[in-house]
């Protein structure tokens, strides 16, 4: 069945199809439509779940932690300052190894206050122990969310997952979505509580305990091991997904990489525009390609090495800033991974599309031209479309 | 020690192994001649370090109270937080310095 839906609504539908039991949520632009749609689905009798409107994002994620610890399947959604407000609880969710799925409507971080799209909010949480998958379109939001429950609840993983979707570009954009039958989804995800210790009065246990210096390191290490295991688990789950639903995913997506001279690297919705720019460039005989990261945590190091250890130029599209470092996060991590590869590509960091500034096909064609002219040894950071300081920009 | 996933502990009741009495620098002492056996200290003690024992041999503000159980602090687990002192309605508990 096809339905035309906004990204946030798709997220709510994914929760319904995945038989989520508990949805604690606090509204924040651009994720507000998620709790609204959930309330509607429950009120209409289409969804059988407990919706808990909390008084803050901190409480929403805290309730999610408690509900997951009791064995329920849980989902919530937030963005930007809301995600930042959840910060201390995020590491508790992953440290307690709780399956939770959270939709992030990627939005800029204040100040200045801005409700539009970039990826600073979720990238800032890259050390939180949450798996992060970035969707390019609304169909992916549905598919990745359904897969996320299965990944999160896999006993080798048992980590929470963020499904990251760009503010407005996805959250509020209508797209026709192929919706699978609920039964197919139920069969695909399977049971929640497999080999997981939960809060159960019949079998008492302490969850969220204390660990002294003799033990703490080992538990932090376990999260890292689980994250590594997630790499192959995600691969297997995506393969299973393809067999059942006939849509194909991987932790990275290569696009027209054959004999490419310049490869864009990006995450999220902007990748669709880059694909169009690559097509235009290819028509002009310019050898451009794209490597899109679907997974940012776990970082797809092996796949990046496989596709990018060659004599090419790379234009990283970084939709985040890390002040005080020589380039932004995606650039830094990508470059670090490629440090020990045989062919070191030339990498240029384009800090672009912050706070919802539009990125068009023409912009990427310009980036291609600029990157081809540049020498990364002398300059490797470009602030895209930066207006000069002190000039009248009105 | 087994490193259960997420630091989950399945052998419950293990707080008995953690003798929190060693943390104490000040020690609560009950003056039973003021204690009205209201059990408020017993309710509030965060470490369940107050037991209720037979009261016949303890002094009391008046003799009928001797029939009731009295609070007795278990110093192996009393960490000396002073909450019982603060909560006691009869000001029957004193905090004294620990002697080494
Ligand atoms: S001092 Fe604290 S730990 Fe000790 S008996 Fe009183 S309330 Fe309990
Ligand atoms: S709170 Fe005070 S009066 Fe009440 S039982 Fe405890 S020591 Fe006695």
């Amino acid at each position: 069945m096809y339905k035309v839906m906004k990204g946030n609504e798709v997220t709510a539908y994914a929760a319904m199809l995945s038989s989520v039991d508990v949805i604690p949520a606090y509204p924040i632009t651009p994720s507000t439509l998620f709790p609204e749609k959930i309330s509607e689905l429950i009120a209409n009798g289409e969804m059988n779940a407990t919706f808990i409107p909390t008084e803050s994002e901190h409480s929403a994620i805290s309730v999610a932690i408690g509900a997951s610890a009791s064995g329920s399947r849980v989902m919530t959604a937030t963005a930007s300052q809301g995600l930042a407000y959840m910060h201390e609880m995020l590491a508790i969710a992953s440290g307690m190894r709780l399956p939770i799925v959270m939709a992030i409507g990627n939005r800029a971080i204040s100040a200045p206050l801005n409700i539009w799209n970039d990826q600073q909010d979720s990238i800032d949480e890259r050390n939180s122990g949450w798996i992060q998958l970035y969707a390019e379109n609304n169909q992916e939001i549905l598919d990745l969310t359904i897969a996320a429950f299965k990944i999160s609840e896999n006993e080798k993983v048992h980590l929470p997952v963020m499904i990251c979707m760009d503010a407005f570009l996805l959250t509020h954009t209508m797209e026709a979505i192929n919706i699978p039958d609920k039964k197919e989804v139920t069969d695909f995800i399977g049971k929640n509580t497999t080999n997981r210790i939960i809060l159960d009065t019949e079998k008492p246990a302490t969850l969220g305990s204390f660990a002294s210096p003799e033990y703490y390191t080992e538990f932090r290490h376990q999260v890292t091991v689980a994250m590594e295991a997630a790499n192959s688990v995600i691969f297997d789950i995506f393969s299973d997904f393809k067999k059942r639903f006939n849509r194909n995913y991987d932790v990275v997506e290569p696009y027209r990489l054959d004999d490419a001279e310049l490869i864009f690297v990006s995450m999220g919705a902007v990748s669709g525009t880059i694909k169009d720019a690559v097509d235009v460039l290819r028509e002009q005989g310019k050898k451009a390609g794209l490597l899109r990261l679907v997974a940012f945590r776990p970082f797809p190091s092996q796949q990046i090495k496989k596709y990018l250890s060659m004599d090419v130029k790379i234009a990283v599209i970084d939709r985040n800033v890390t002040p005080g470092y020589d380039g932004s996060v995606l650039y830094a991590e990508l470059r670090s991974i490629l440090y020990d590869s045989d062919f070191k590509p030339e990498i240029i960091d384009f800090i672009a599309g912050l706070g919802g500034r539009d990125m068009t096909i023409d912009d990427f064609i310009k980036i291609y031209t600029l990157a081809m002219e540049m020498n990364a040894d002398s300059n490797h950071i470009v602030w895209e479309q930066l207006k000069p300081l002190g000039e009248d920009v009105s | 020690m087994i490193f259960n996933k997420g630091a989950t502990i399945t052998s419950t009741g293990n707080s008995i192994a953690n003798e929190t009495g060693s943390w104490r620098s000040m020690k609560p002492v009950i003056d039973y001649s003021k204690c009205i056996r209201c059990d408020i200290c017993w309710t509030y003690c965060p470490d369940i370090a107050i037991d209720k024992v037979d009261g016949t041999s303890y002094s009391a503000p008046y003799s009928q109270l001797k029939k009731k159980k009295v609070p007795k602090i278990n110093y192996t687990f009393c960490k000396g937080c002073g909450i019982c002192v603060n909560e006691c309605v009869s000001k029957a508990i004193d905090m004294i310095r620990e002697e080494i």
Side-chain angles (χ1 to χ4, degrees), chain A residues 33-289:
Chain A
L33 278 175
F34 171 76
E36 282 178 6
K37 191 72 195 173
I38 290 282
S39 319
E40 192 183 308
L41 289 170
I42 294 173
N44 289 349
E46 290 176 72
M47 185 174 182
N48 182 15
T50 306
F51 172 58
I52 305 173
T54 56
E55 81 281 18
S56 74
E57 289 87 354
H58 191 281
S59 304
I61 187 68
S62 302
V63 172
I65 287 169
S68 178
S70 74
S72 303
R73 185 169 286 161
V74 197
M75 181 163 180
T76 184
T78 192
S80 183
Q81 307 304 116
L83 181 60
Y85 189 24
M86 287 182 179
H87 175 77
E88 67 165 343
M89 302 311 288
L90 295 179
I92 291 176
S94 62
M96 286 176 67
R97 308 292 301 280
L98 297 173
I100 297 171
V101 173
M102 175 154 64
I104 308 297
N106 283 122
R107 164 183 151 183
I109 286 280
S110 298
L113 175 63
N114 175 299
I115 59 165
W116 292 275
N117 166 232
D118 64 37
Q119 294 167 339
Q120 188 79 51
D121 51 359
S122 56
I123 286 182
D124 278 353
E125 298 302 344
R126 66 193 182 281
N127 300 332
S128 64
W130 285 59
I131 290 169
Q132 290 191 355
L133 305 175
Y134 288 75
E136 182 186 317
N137 53 48
N138 288 359
Q139 184 70 55
E140 267 190 37
I141 293 176
L142 183 92
D143 296 348
L144 293 180
T145 306
I146 290 169
F149 286 104
K150 197 171 168 71
I151 296 165
S152 185
E153 291 166 14
N154 182 289
E155 64 171 301
K156 286 191 202 136
V157 180
H158 280 163
L159 287 175
V161 182
M162 289 183 199
I163 301 297
C164 304
M165 59 201 73
D166 292 294
F168 302 106
L169 300 182
L170 298 182
T171 58
H172 289 62
T173 302
M174 299 265 202
E175 215 178 294
I177 307 299
N178 185 346
I179 299 177
D181 278 349
K182 186 159 185 215
K183 194 187 169 304
E184 285 179 83
V185 177
T186 308
D187 290 348
F188 168 68
I189 303 179
K191 266 179 83 83
N192 176 6
T193 49
T194 326
N195 285 329
R196 176 154 99 80
I197 298 161
I198 56 168
L199 291 171
D200 178 354
T201 47
E202 300 294 315
K203 287 186 227 147
T206 302
L207 273 74
S209 73
F210 164 96
S212 53
E214 303 96 292
Y215 307 118
Y216 180 80
T217 306
E218 286 64 26
F219 292 111
R220 295 292 284 166
H221 178 246
Q222 278 188 358
V223 173
T224 306
V225 171
M227 205 43 107
E228 276 165 24
N231 254 316
S232 59
V233 170
I234 292 172
F235 181 83
D236 293 344
I237 288 173
F238 282 166
S239 310
D240 187 16
F241 188 92
K242 183 177 186 324
K243 267 185 238 138
R244 291 165 188 262
F245 303 101
N246 204 23
R247 283 189 294 278
N248 199 11
Y249 296 103
D250 197 355
V251 287
V252 297
E253 184 201 6
Y255 185 76
R256 301 189 80 164
L257 290 188
D258 292 343
D259 71 6
E261 287 169 359
L262 181 124
I263 300 175
F264 291 97
V265 175
S266 66
M267 301 198 291
V270 80
S271 313
T273 313
I274 299 177
K275 285 175 187 169
D276 288 344
V278 166
D279 291 346
V280 173
L281 288 162
R282 287 275 178 175
E283 269 169 38
Q284 297 170 357
K286 291 169 182 156
K287 293 174 178 166

Side-chain angles (χ1 to χ4, degrees), chain A residues 95 155 158 205-206 209 219 222, chain B residues 1 3-9 12:
Chain A
E155 64 171 301
H158 280 163
T206 302
S209 73
F219 292 111
Q222 278 188 358
Chain B
M1 169 74 191
F3 290 110
N4 274 335
K5 197 180 271 182
T8 301
I9 300 168
T12 49

Side-chain angles (χ1 to χ4, degrees), chain B residues 79-92:
Chain B
K79 66 186 174 192
C81 66
I83 288 175
C84 53
V85 179
N86 194 54
E87 296 299 335
C88 174
V89 285
S90 316
K91 305 220 178 309

